[in-house]
Amino acid sequence: MLTSKKVALAAVSVLLILLVSGCGDPQEPAANQINQLVLSGQEIDQSLKTLTSHEQEDMKLYKSILDKGKNKNSDLEALLDQAADHIHERRTLLKQAEEAMEQTNEKTVALRSSLKELSFEKEETLAQAEKVLNQYGARARALENFVASYQLSLSADEQLYDLMRESAEPNLVKIKRAIRVRNSEYAKLAEFRKQFNLQTKAFNGANAKLVQMDQAS
């Protein structure tokens, strides 16, 4: 199960303080600026959380289709229609997560420039903030790979279900091959999910350290 919903927790307690530079322009601590970035990306976590819920339901549906499909006289149309709707819903959630991450990536670029303008932060704090942003970028790339793999898995689902719709006498050889392809894609997806979770954990750790440094200063 994806643990990305934990991303924002470490930074939420950051004290919201506006500091003023020598020119009188308001400046926010690095930890607070990154916290705002994390909060703006919460749509990613919500989409992935909902996606996981759908995924669990669809696994049960997949097993029902295979079990019922063993009976030549079974009518699978209703189940296949339901599966098609679920695939569409999951594609929508993936798109939402991807678009939200693209938006936060754009904010990350602006944030890097903003951090360079800070006149009051210690060098070690700015170095840690840079590390946090690098980890956030690595997480974004892991999400991109996860989404691409997930799309291939959903396409494999569609190909399998299309074969099962084809006629009253489906081609069992093709169906068995499609099942193998489908299972292979989901096995690959599990690895990309693992990498995304690892990058999320690394980001959380780096961000928590930044928060501690900010609170100690």
Side-chain angles (χ1 to χ4, degrees), residues 32-144:
N32 183 44
Q33 292 192 45
I34 290 178
N35 181 57
Q36 292 176 9
L37 173 70
V38 173
L39 293 176
S40 70
Q42 283 187 331
E43 184 180 345
I44 301 169
D45 306 318
Q46 184 57 51
S47 294
L48 295 178
K49 179 181 178 181
T50 306
L51 181 67
T52 299
S53 178
H54 279 285
E55 186 176 313
Q56 293 169 348
E57 295 176 6
D58 287 349
M59 183 57 68
K60 295 177 182 178
L61 181 59
Y62 170 70
K63 291 179 179 179
S64 296
I65 290 173
L66 292 189
D67 288 341
K68 195 171 182 180
K70 293 176 183 178
N71 186 341
K72 293 175 60 177
N73 298 320
S74 295
D75 183 3
L76 297 176
E77 285 301 313
L79 289 177
L80 293 174
D81 287 344
Q82 186 178 354
D85 290 340
H86 285 202
I87 289 172
H88 175 73
E89 291 171 358
R90 284 197 279 169
R91 286 196 189 280
T92 299
L93 290 167
L94 285 171
K95 186 64 175 177
Q96 290 174 353
E98 193 173 31
E99 289 177 347
M101 181 59 83
E102 289 175 356
Q103 292 174 2
T104 56
N105 285 345
E106 293 175 359
K107 293 178 181 178
T108 300
V109 175
L111 182 52
R112 287 184 187 275
S113 298
S114 177
L115 293 180
K116 292 179 181 179
E117 300 299 322
L118 292 181
S119 59
F120 58 85
E121 291 281 22
K122 297 178 180 179
E123 288 187 8
E124 55 265 33
T125 301
L126 290 176
Q128 183 62 27
E130 183 71 18
K131 183 177 180 180
V132 173
L133 291 181
N134 289 340
Q135 290 290 354
Y136 198 76
R139 179 176 181 263
R141 291 188 293 274
L143 178 63
E144 182 179 350

Side-chain angles (χ1 to χ4, degrees), residues 62 66 156 159-160 163-164 172-186:
Y62 170 70
L66 292 189
Q159 291 171 10
L160 170 61
L163 284 173
M164 299 180 81
L172 295 182
V173 174
K174 289 185 178 180
I175 288 176
K176 289 180 180 179
R177 185 185 301 121
I179 290 174
R180 289 196 298 270
V181 171
R182 185 262 182 203
N183 291 342
S184 175
E185 291 297 343
Y186 272 93

